Amino acid sequence: MRRLLFLLIALLATAPAASAQGAAAGQCTQPDSIEFRGNTRLGDALLRNETGLTPGSTVNYRDVQRAIKALYGTLQFQDIQVGCEPLGGGKTMLVFQLKERPMLVDVSVTGADQVSPGTVQDQVDLLVGRPIDPAQVTHTIVKIDSVYAAQGFAVAEVRAETTYVDSTSARLVFHVDEGHRTAISGVRIQGNKALGATAIVGAMKSKPEGFFFWQKGELDNAKLASDITEDIPGLYADHGFIDMQVLRDTTLLDRKAGKAMVSLDVKEGPQYHVGDFSVNGARQFSSQQISTMYPFTPHSKTLMQTLKGMLRLGVVQDQTIFNRSAWQDATQKVQDAYADNGYLYAQINPVVEREIGQDSVPTVNLRWDIQEGAPAIINRVDITGNDITSETCIRRQLTVVPGDVFSKTRLIQSYQNISNLGFFDSPLPEPEVQPSDAEGDVNITFKVKEKRTGNVNFGASVGQGTGLGGFIGFDQPNLFGKCKKGSIQWQKGQYINDFQLSYTDPAINESDYSGTVTAYHSQSRFTIQNIGQSTTTGGQIQFGLPVLGSRYTRLFVNYGAEAVKYGSDGLVGTISACTNAAGQSSTCFRSTVGATIDHDTRVGMPFPTDGVYETVNAQFNGGPLGGSAKYVRYTGEMHSYATMATLGGSPAQGSGMPVVLGLSTRWGALFGDPGPFFVSQSFAMGGVQYGEPLRGYNEFSITPQGYIDQTSQYTAQRQSFGNAFFSATAELGLRVSQQLYVDGFYDAGNVYAKPADFNPTRLFRGVGVGGSVLTPLGPLGIDLAYGLDRVDAQGRKAPKWQVHFKFGQFY
């Protein structure tokens, strides 16, 4: 198609020249006048000036050819014919018969789908209101074709269609037939000896098509160029081959089949080992401190680092071989260490010097040249965008304050603390750090954008355990814009009548002390496992204070009291009624004093991506406090999270999709006799709806006597409850967003009759996958778990899959 266009242009330019030659050789070699016909946009005087011809002068064929070329150069004409006409009396007239190009009134592109229509449209540089230029049309087709070729559409075709509106104007449409993206059928590597072709292709973004639907192998020239210049040399550099080169890259296209074969010729060069190491200019840190950040010295690993290493594929590289990525990461560590100590402008220059070492081994000597400069002092900390939330409330989350030496770690902590409030759109913009004066001091600005935080919920509900009912509630975690929390919930149905009121002040009178008041009334009948009906009325008051000035560790003390009245059916119907002083049946009463130590450094809530959560709780019931039972109850749990990788974005700023490794453990022990309160105070295990969760098993199926097969509906019994439990969970999850989380998990746990029976070697196990989504009513999730240690009625192994629906629970 393009060849035809060029041929057409050539014919238009040469054909008139031939006729002009004949005309000029005849009577019009000295024309008495010159006339232009067919021109409506340019006047005769202008055209005569363009041709350079004057009446009465001698004209030869070269003069006519120059005149035709000049007229075509105005870009106004698509055809020019030259003739000679007699005027009588021996006079002649040289005539230029002109056909004007149509005026462009509209230009558009159709068929662009897989490549952005805007990107394709940007390649069109034809101007509306100007004559259509065939050469410019051809140039536009080439540009569009190049865009598609760069994105792997080697078989794409582009054609231009002209539609006349009238005799002087036309529309131009570029039709694109995208075809399909060219697939890479294979990658051929030549010249590689140290690294296999599989490893090299594995490091590339451009991979061959495969069996699975996601292995499309699409050819993208930009990605292929990145592979050649960055990814492959980077892979070799991480194995010591820092002189590696890609000598030649060839892409063989089969346009008919839409396939491409990529061929790469590599020159590996020598493998460099690590030689001497030195540091110049370091005064803030000692040599010993610097050496802990040097990557080519063996260091002991933390538990989380060990687990990360276990999940990686491949072998551990020899520490004596140079690894460019490790060297770059270590340099960044040094840079961050200086930034954490206020040296925001410190320059860390990594130097790699090649030499031939002993035994002719290629070696690199490594050095950090450091220019420390002066530490930066925080001059001002500003907060913008908080139209509702008070600035005092936000500033309580800050660990960077004016007058302090700048610290990058504390800056990130402050950013994460503000994000964890949950009052602002996420991810938050990164805090701005700007110089405040010539001394190098800085101003820090946190930008936030308020979001709706309160929820009013109402509707109907139905369930096996609650029957048909309705609910209404209000929850506001940022009352009055002062970070105070308030909630009221009421649910009434066939088997349930719950009311709860709660208020929390995280900073009483702007102090470090917090307080929570809760009141509740619950009347329920759980038909699941036939627990039975009970009515509970109670409340709790709690005060919290920081431990040793730590913002992440708090001590809570509380007092609670509740009265419980049990029905006559189900499991609770078997509980002996509480009696008053006269020996008459009355409501059971529980009086409790408790203390809790809570340490929380999690970030990325509600689905954390890093940090730990540890808590230990002790409750003292009865005795001098009064009540229907005397016992002590201890519970604790620990959760640890670490981001293994991030699919796009940065977990520190709450963006991207972090792949998170989580380890959790929970335990509990009860000493004494819980009496009539065993249903809520002792421990039951199994399922996710009641008691301690263990996925892969039904509720109440894990008992102190072992697993109970539930081939038929099982009724909860007193023997189902124990006075001690232990459970642990390992999970590998993907936080798709702050509202969606999916994971694979491994659960293990057991319940024991008394704390002395604890045996960590006898645990019931479950594995599975699941997901949770955050809704206005709270977290909602589903898990598919495989109970590995289930048995049938005869005690034979009978592992089985089970689906669990959970509401209001996180793991």
Side-chain angles (χ1 to χ4, degrees):
M1 179 180 67
R2 297 178 189 136
R3 294 175 181 171
L4 290 176
L5 282 173
F6 285 122
L7 182 60
L8 177 61
I9 294 171
L11 291 174
L12 289 174
T14 57
S19 64
Q21 183 176 353
Q27 297 177 338
C28 285
T29 54
Q30 198 171 8
D32 296 285
S33 63
I34 300 174
E35 182 173 309
F36 298 92
R37 298 173 183 173
N39 54 305
T40 61
R41 302 172 192 150
L42 301 181
D44 289 356
L46 178 60
L47 296 178
R48 188 174 292 110
N49 183 61
E50 289 288 337
T51 61
L53 303 178
T54 57
S57 61
T58 301
V59 177
N60 58 33
Y61 76 93
R62 291 189 178 88
D63 295 327
V64 175
Q65 285 182 330
R66 282 195 294 270
I68 292 173
K69 184 177 180 180
L71 292 174
Y72 274 120
T74 65
L75 304 179
Q76 295 289 330
F77 309 107
Q78 63 178 342
D79 186 42
I80 301 174
Q81 299 292 330
V82 182
C84 183
E85 295 183 3
L87 298 177
K91 296 182 178 181
T92 59
M93 178 173 62
L94 185 63
V95 179
F96 287 86
Q97 187 65 43
L98 308 175
K99 184 177 181 181
E100 292 180 322
R101 292 176 177 173
M103 193 71 71
L104 182 63
V105 297
D106 182 59
V107 60
S108 61
V109 177
T110 65
D113 181 24
Q114 300 187 69
V115 174
S116 168
T119 301
V120 179
Q121 187 71 43
D122 290 344
Q123 311 309 311
V124 180
D125 50 9
L126 295 161
L127 298 178
V128 174
R130 299 282 183 89
I132 299 176
D133 183 359
Q136 197 69 14
V137 172
T138 302
H139 180 65
T140 299
I141 291 174
V142 172
K143 288 175 64 178
I144 296 175
D145 189 69
S146 298
V147 168
Y148 274 92
Q151 298 199 30
F153 293 88
V155 297
E157 293 184 357
V158 184
R159 62 182 179 87
E161 180 182 18
T162 304
T163 303
Y164 281 87
V165 177
D166 51 40
S167 59
T168 61
S169 59
R171 295 187 179 91
L172 189 61
V173 179
F174 290 94
H175 295 284
V176 180
D177 182 6
E178 294 181 322
H180 54 82
R181 193 186 294 269
T182 304
I184 301 175
S185 60
V187 178
R188 182 185 300 114
I189 310 293
Q190 300 180 21
N192 60 307
K193 296 179 180 178
L195 298 182
T198 301
I200 297 174
V201 175
M204 298 172 61
K205 301 183 186 73
S206 305
K207 292 181 171 58
E209 61 183 347
F211 173 77
F212 297 103
F213 68 90
W214 62 82
Q215 297 175 313
K216 298 179 180 179
E218 295 174 336
L219 175 64
D220 187 319
N221 288 349
K223 289 182 179 180
L224 183 58
S226 176
D227 291 332
I228 294 170
T229 59
E230 299 176 13
D231 296 331
I232 298 177
L235 172 68
Y236 269 95
D238 290 348
H239 289 78
F241 297 90
I242 56 179
D243 295 335
M244 179 270 174
Q245 294 177 308
V246 178
L247 300 177
R248 185 181 299 105
D249 65 281
T250 306
T251 304
L252 303 176
L253 290 175
D254 183 346
R255 291 182 177 272
K256 185 175 180 180
K259 305 290 184 180
M261 171 64 73
V262 177
S263 178
L264 303 175
D265 291 341
V266 302
K267 180 181 179 181
E268 295 180 329
Q271 185 179 45
Y272 286 85
H273 288 246
V274 176
D276 297 332
F277 169 66
S278 60
V279 180
N280 291 335
R283 294 182 298 274
Q284 175 66 22
F285 295 102
S286 66
S287 299
Q288 183 177 4
Q289 290 173 312
I290 291 288
S291 65
T292 62
M293 292 176 272
Y294 181 62
F296 303 111
T297 300
H299 300 291
S300 60
K301 295 183 179 181
T302 65
L303 174 61
M304 192 59 70
Q305 290 173 333
T306 302
L307 290 172
K308 287 183 178 181
M310 292 172 61
L311 292 174
R312 291 192 181 121
L313 299 178
V315 297
V316 178
Q317 184 174 315
D318 186 349
Q319 286 288 91
T320 65
I321 297 175
F322 179 71
N323 183 318
R324 188 175 67 180
S325 291
W327 177 240
Q328 292 174 341
D329 291 344
T331 302
Q332 186 59 49
K333 273 188 180 180
V334 177
Q335 187 77 59
D336 291 342
Y338 270 95
D340 285 343
N341 285 268
Y343 291 85
L344 189 59
Y345 307 106
Q347 298 181 11
I348 315 299
N349 180 32
V351 179
V352 179
E353 296 178 341
R354 298 166 171 83
E355 71 172 14
I356 302 299
Q358 297 179 354
D359 300 326
S360 300
V361 176
T363 304
V364 288
N365 295 324
L366 305 176
R367 184 174 74 250
W368 279 321
D369 288 338
I370 301 175
Q371 296 180 3
E372 294 181 341
I377 305 300
I378 300 173
N379 178 56
R380 194 174 70 244
V381 179
D382 297 324
I383 300 170
T384 64
N386 53 314
D387 303 323
I388 299 174
T389 306
S390 70
E391 187 164 314
T392 302
C393 173
I394 299 175
R395 286 191 180 275
R396 284 200 298 267
Q397 311 305 316
L398 300 181
T399 57
V400 288
V401 295
D404 275 359
V405 174
F406 176 85
S407 169
K408 183 177 179 181
T409 295
R410 293 201 303 272
L411 178 68
I412 294 176
Q413 287 177 345
S414 300
Y415 172 91
Q416 293 171 341
N417 291 343
I418 295 174
S419 181
N420 282 347
L421 286 174
F423 305 156
F424 311 109
D425 283 347
S426 181
L428 297 177
E430 294 186 20
E432 295 181 356
V433 180
Q434 300 290 343
S436 63
D437 52 40
E439 303 296 327
D441 295 341
V442 296
N443 294 329
I444 300 174
T445 302
F446 294 92
K447 295 182 178 181
V448 300
K449 183 179 180 181
E450 301 274 5
K451 71 176 182 180
R452 183 178 64 85
T453 55
N455 292 306
V456 176
N457 308 315
F458 58 90
S461 63
V462 62
Q464 183 181 359
T466 60
L468 179 64
F471 61 89
I472 185 170
F474 170 75
D475 176 68
Q476 175 55 269
N478 190 18
L479 275 174
F480 319 118
K482 297 183 180 296
C483 297
K484 304 178 190 299
K485 302 177 183 179
S487 68
I488 180 171
Q489 301 288 335
W490 180 45
Q491 184 176 3
K492 182 173 178 56
Q494 183 178 0
Y495 302 126
I496 193 168
N497 186 359
D498 281 350
F499 178 82
Q500 180 171 319
L501 179 66
S502 177
Y503 173 76
T504 299
D505 188 340
I508 301 174
N509 291 330
E510 304 302 331
S511 68
D512 290 333
Y513 298 94
S514 62
T516 299
V517 178
T518 303
Y520 54 89
H521 175 82
S522 175
Q523 177 181 333
S524 61
R525 171 189 172 88
F526 291 92
T527 61
I528 294 180
Q529 317 301 358
N530 196 27
I531 296 176
Q533 181 177 317
S534 62
T535 302
T536 304
T537 303
Q540 183 186 72
I541 183 169
Q542 175 176 275
F543 293 97
L545 66 156
V547 176
L548 300 178
S550 171
R551 70 167 45 246
Y552 301 109
T553 305
R554 295 183 71 83
L555 169 66
F556 297 94
V557 293
N558 60 74
Y559 173 77
E562 70 176 19
V564 182
K565 183 177 182 179
Y566 296 107
S568 59
D569 58 347
L571 175 62
V572 297
T574 64
I575 298 175
S576 299
C578 301
T579 58
N580 57 23
Q584 299 172 334
S585 177
S586 66
T587 300
C588 300
F589 178 74
R590 183 167 69 93
S591 180
T592 303
V593 169
T596 301
I597 292 288
D598 198 320
H599 178 72
D600 191 355
T601 62
R602 293 173 297 178
V603 297
M605 299 295 289
F607 302 112
T609 59
D610 208 346
V612 298
Y613 174 70
E614 300 165 309
T615 182
V616 177
N617 173 262
Q619 292 182 2
F620 303 92
N621 299 263
L625 301 174
S628 305
K630 179 181 179 181
Y631 60 95
V632 180
R633 188 175 190 264
Y634 300 97
T635 57
E637 56 185 285
M638 186 276 290
H639 304 267
S640 178
Y641 303 92
T643 296
M644 307 288 292
T646 301
L647 308 181
S650 166
Q653 276 70 49
S655 60
M657 294 191 294
V659 179
V660 181
L661 176 64
L663 300 176
S664 305
T665 183
R666 302 176 64 182
W667 60 269
L670 187 149
F671 298 90
D673 183 6
F677 302 104
F678 76 87
V679 175
S680 61
Q681 298 300 296
S682 291
F683 307 107
M685 180 170 286
V688 298
Q689 296 184 18
Y690 193 95
E692 304 303 327
L694 186 63
R695 292 166 287 191
Y697 301 85
N698 288 327
E699 279 74 10
F700 301 102
S701 62
I702 307 299
T703 75
Q705 291 76 40
Y707 173 78
I708 297 178
D709 179 41
Q710 298 190 43
T711 54
S712 60
Q713 181 66 35
Y714 174 71
T715 301
Q717 303 175 20
R718 179 63 180 91
Q719 293 78 11
S720 304
F721 295 82
N723 285 345
F725 85 95
F726 174 83
S727 67
T729 296
E731 67 177 56
L732 187 64
L734 175 67
R735 193 185 75 169
V736 180
S737 69
Q738 284 200 322
Q739 285 73 41
L740 178 61
Y741 179 82
V742 294
D743 70 324
F745 58 83
Y746 175 88
D747 287 347
N750 202 354
V751 64
Y752 310 96
K754 54 184 183 296
D757 294 338
F758 171 68
N759 182 1
T761 66
R762 185 66 182 99
L763 301 175
F764 293 90
R765 303 162 300 158
V767 296
V769 295
S772 296
V773 62
L774 197 63
T775 72
L777 300 179
L780 180 66
I782 183 173
D783 294 312
L784 176 63
Y786 190 69
L788 296 171
D789 297 309
R790 297 173 70 140
V791 296
D792 59 20
Q794 286 73 41
R796 296 171 299 189
K797 283 281 187 178
K800 184 179 179 182
W801 288 100
Q802 182 159 343
V803 177
H804 300 282
F805 294 95
K806 57 190 179 185
F807 182 80
Q809 298 183 46
F810 286 116
Y811 288 94

